[in-house]
Amino acid sequence: MKLAIGKFENCMVTSEIVLLEDMDIFVYGLRQIYMVGISVLSTLVIGWSMGMFWQAVVLYLFYIPLRSFAGGYHARTPVVCYFYSLILITLALKGISIISTIQIANY
């Protein structure tokens, strides 16, 4: 990832799209976009593998704003945050599956 971002940032500076003094902000933004993209992709893969793709999409549509605005626990590194998020998404989808099974069984 660092190599790809490094090449991209050099291209943006040499093309004069991003000023050299703004490079730290630009790289931070690229890393954030990368982490969010990986998180969304991972959530969709987990949902698909559990046979709950659309439930994962809906869950994530509500989870993104909640995670952004609610605050709460902050992991030491983005990688730890990523894995905690994957565990939370997996548990939430499993909970939805169990609740759906219980409701179907009662009817």
Side-chain angles (χ1 to χ4, degrees), residues 68-106:
S68 298
F69 296 114
Y73 177 76
H74 292 279
R76 291 183 188 150
T77 66
V79 174
V80 172
C81 179
Y82 167 75
F83 284 112
Y84 283 164
S85 294
L86 289 184
I87 292 168
L88 181 68
I89 291 290
T90 304
L91 292 174
L93 289 173
K94 188 62 179 170
I96 291 169
S97 175
I98 291 169
I99 290 170
S100 297
T101 304
I102 292 170
Q103 287 180 348
I104 291 171
N106 288 334

Side-chain angles (χ1 to χ4, degrees), residues 2 11 21 26 31 34 40 62 64 80 88-89 91 101 105-107:
K2 287 183 181 182
C11 177
E21 56 266 10
F26 181 72
R31 287 184 183 149
Y34 175 79
V40 169
F62 286 96
I64 288 174
V80 172
L88 181 68
I89 291 290
L91 292 174
T101 304
N106 288 334
Y107 289 109

Side-chain angles (χ1 to χ4, degrees), residues 40-57 82 86-87 89-91 93-94 97:
V40 169
L41 183 63
S42 298
T43 298
L44 296 178
V45 168
I46 289 170
W48 176 76
S49 68
M50 294 177 74
M52 302 178 71
F53 180 81
W54 292 110
Q55 291 91 334
V57 169
Y82 167 75
L86 289 184
I87 292 168
I89 291 290
T90 304
L91 292 174
L93 289 173
K94 188 62 179 170
S97 175

